[in-house]
Amino acid sequence: MLAYAAAHGATAFTDDQLAVQVGREHGVTVVRTLALVARGVRTALLTEPEALRLVDDLIRAGGRYPFGGGEFMAWARSKGLLT
């Protein structure tokens, strides 16, 4: 994924810390999942309930985030991701 993004000038999407670090060190634009979901809300591609449902599904599937189920929107607001 990182090699493809680097070779094609694309953006890589990952939550893996090492991949984020390596990608950024090599000039690859890397976006994390929660930032992508927040961007979807900001640009009206996702409603807040859709975003919340999506992130809650990711949590149920084993995603580890700095908040619990039902808390994404409050967390994203506190981090300034929705402005």
Side-chain angles (χ1 to χ4, degrees):
M1 161 209 31
L2 288 176
Y4 180 90
H8 297 279
T11 299
F13 296 91
T14 185
D15 287 328
D16 181 84
Q17 180 59 35
L18 183 58
V20 170
Q21 180 182 345
V22 169
R24 289 180 178 164
E25 286 173 359
H26 288 87
V28 175
T29 301
V30 180
V31 177
R32 293 178 180 268
T33 302
L34 297 180
L36 181 64
V37 174
R39 185 181 300 175
V41 173
R42 278 195 327 271
T43 60
L45 292 172
L46 290 172
T47 65
E48 289 190 15
E50 288 170 334
L52 188 60
R53 219 172 17 257
L54 173 60
V55 173
D56 284 353
D57 285 346
L58 291 170
I59 290 170
R60 280 191 290 280
R64 294 179 290 155
Y65 300 110
F67 51 81
E71 299 174 348
F72 170 70
M73 297 310 301
W75 177 85
R77 282 190 184 87
S78 76
K79 299 298 182 184
L81 295 176
L82 298 176
T83 57

